[in-house]
Amino acid sequence: FSFNVVCCTVLSPFIVHLEFLDIGLTGNIPASLGNLSKLETMTIRLNRKLSGTIPIELNQLESMVNIDMRANDLHGPLEVMGGWTNLKALSLTQNWFNETIPANVGNMKSLVEIDIGSNVIGGTLPSELGLLTNLEILNLERNDLHGPIPDTFKNLSKLIVLALGTNQLDSSIPGPDVFEGMERLELLDVAQNRLTGTISIDNPLCTRGVNLLLDCTLGREIDCKCENHNCVCLY
């Protein structure tokens, strides 16, 4: 791991941007990155031999606004996220994170976008995700999540994309009250789960023409009553 791409602002002696993009990094992310107290953006992407965990010391990076660690070989817990209270965008997709989404995700109230799809994250969707009222994109597809979609999601009034497809989510799809406040929602993907229930014609998902990706297989069927052809059965 070497600092071969480091950008600094002219006005500051501190490193504020760090980028290691597809340069064949190997080994682990060093804990010493946690000393870069002014760091605002970190891109460590497409380094398929970069493994290990995200060091807990990185939770000291309170100035971070954008973290992109897509397509590496990272794994382990995600408790480090709770320290990134000013973060606006987080992408950890296409890794091997294999524990649960921690409750301290609720500390990240500035988040606009979360993409931690295509991992092996287990457990349930924490209710604390409903505290992230600035969220516009929530992508948790292609993991191993189970349980219901929390009622606290009704607080996500700015949400545009909710992608939960290809998990093990079960129980009934939430009622209309959960989606009532999501006035900006354009896409709901819950296909390839184990959800059941009915989306009634007066459900906001229907009346607002939200694009719906659903399961229609017997035994895990969501009965969509929308009349505007916005329901797509993938399975």
Side-chain angles (χ1 to χ4, degrees):
F1 194 101
S2 61
F3 289 84
N4 65 335
V5 184
V6 178
C7 302
C8 302
T9 61
V10 175
L11 299 177
S12 172
F14 301 104
I15 296 172
V16 293
H17 304 298
L18 189 65
E19 180 174 315
F20 299 106
L21 174 59
D22 194 15
I23 58 173
L25 291 177
T26 61
N28 301 330
I29 297 174
S32 58
L33 287 185
N35 297 325
L36 304 179
S37 60
K38 301 299 181 182
L39 201 61
E40 295 179 4
T41 67
M42 180 189 297
T43 300
I44 305 176
R45 189 169 84 226
L46 282 166
N47 295 283
R48 293 295 188 179
K49 294 184 179 180
L50 182 68
S51 58
T53 63
I54 300 176
I56 193 63
E57 288 81 3
L58 269 61
N59 70 0
Q60 302 167 176
L61 301 177
E62 297 179 355
S63 298
M64 293 293 301
V65 295
N66 190 314
I67 294 178
D68 183 352
M69 294 186 182
R70 284 177 283 173
N72 295 297
D73 194 31
L74 301 172
H75 65 271
L78 294 171
E79 276 75 10
V80 63
M81 298 194 307
W84 299 330
T85 54
N86 293 305
L87 200 68
K88 295 184 182 298
L90 173 64
S91 182
L92 303 175
T93 190
Q94 298 182 45
N95 280 283
W96 294 97
F97 292 107
N98 55 352
E99 298 198 17
T100 61
I101 301 172
N104 66 8
V105 68
N107 298 339
M108 305 170 72
K109 293 182 174 62
S110 297
L111 270 174
V112 175
E113 178 177 352
I114 301 178
D115 181 1
I116 51 178
S118 299
N119 283 280
V120 282
I121 296 169
T124 60
L125 293 167
S127 61
E128 288 81 3
L129 282 169
L131 298 174
L132 308 183
T133 54
N134 287 306
L135 266 186
E136 296 180 0
I137 298 174
L138 176 56
N139 180 13
L140 302 174
E141 65 181 5
R142 300 185 182 277
N143 279 289
D144 195 29
L145 295 163
H146 62 268
I149 298 173
D151 289 344
T152 55
F153 276 32
K154 65 185 179 184
N155 300 319
L156 304 179
S157 60
K158 297 182 181 179
L159 207 58
I160 298 172
V161 174
L162 178 55
L164 303 174
T166 317
N167 278 283
Q168 301 293 326
L169 297 176
D170 49 57
S171 189
S172 297
I173 193 163
D177 57 317
V178 172
F179 300 106
E180 182 64 43
M182 297 184 187
E183 296 183 355
R184 299 177 61 192
L185 192 66
E186 296 180 4
L187 173 65
L188 172 65
D189 178 3
V190 292
Q192 261 197 306
N193 281 284
R194 298 175 180 174
L195 296 168
T196 58
T198 299
I199 299 175
S200 61
I201 193 170
D202 59 347
N203 190 302
L205 296 174
C206 289
T207 58
R208 294 175 185 153
V210 177
N211 294 304
L212 305 173
L213 304 182
L214 309 171
D215 281 336
C216 301
T217 303
L218 187 65
R220 59 181 190 186
E221 180 179 4
I222 296 176
D223 184 12
C224 183
K225 302 295 188 182
C226 302
E227 294 184 338
N228 49 8
H229 307 291
N230 56 315
C231 298
V232 177
C233 293
L234 296 186
Y235 299 94

